[in-house]
Structures are given as structure tokens and as C-alpha cells.
Amino acid sequence: MKTTMMFQNKLIPVYLTDTNKQAIEKLTAVLNRKLTTGKNALKTCIKSLISVEIVGSEATLHSYFERDTLTISLY
């Protein structure tokens, strides 16, 4: 399933394997928290975010540069 979310004044496509609405809410909370308290590599990835893929309890953050792509846990 594909949906979008508004993050940092950008529409980001989010790809889900199931229709878990809590996953998107958790993703938004985690991204906001990591943007302020995360390490530099994670902040760089979040700032250049182009799409997110959620599988189970993990979210793969895809950025403009392939080397910045990371996977984070939502729970």
C-alpha cells in the first residue's frame, strides 16, 4: 500500500506492507525525535528523505544519496 505523509513541509511517499495506521504515527514521532537527538548520519538521512518503506516494525529511510539510506526501528 502506498500513502504519503507531510514531514518538514514536504510530501514523502510511504510504502507499507500492511494497513497499520499506527506505523505512520510512530514513524512521524520517531523522525521528529531523531531529528533533534539523533546522530549526524541519521540527521543527514532525515533531512534528505525522499521515501520510506515500512516492513513490520522497521522503517527504511531512502534519501537522495544511496549511501545515506538507513533502517530504523519504530518500536
Side-chain angles (χ1 to χ4, degrees):
M1 177 180 140
K2 179 183 174 184
T3 187
T4 58
M5 68 178 239
M6 181 65 89
F7 186 73
Q8 294 183 331
N9 297 323
K10 296 188 296 187
L11 277 177
I12 309 280
V14 179
Y15 301 94
L16 300 155
T17 56
D18 57 354
T19 57
N20 185 359
K21 190 170 186 170
Q22 285 183 336
I24 295 183
E25 293 170 1
K26 283 280 192 187
L27 175 65
T28 304
V30 168
L31 289 177
N32 283 324
R33 186 177 72 237
K34 296 291 185 181
L35 194 57
T36 59
T37 63
K39 305 245 183 213
N40 284 338
L42 185 57
K43 289 179 184 180
T44 301
C45 180
I46 292 172
K47 289 178 183 176
S48 63
L49 196 61
I50 58 172
S51 70
V52 178
E53 181 182 355
I54 299 175
V55 178
S57 65
E58 294 186 337
T60 302
L61 309 175
H62 299 279
S63 66
Y64 286 116
F65 304 106
E66 188 176 338
R67 61 181 162 78
D68 291 337
T69 298
L70 296 172
T71 300
I72 60 172
S73 177
L74 297 177
Y75 300 101

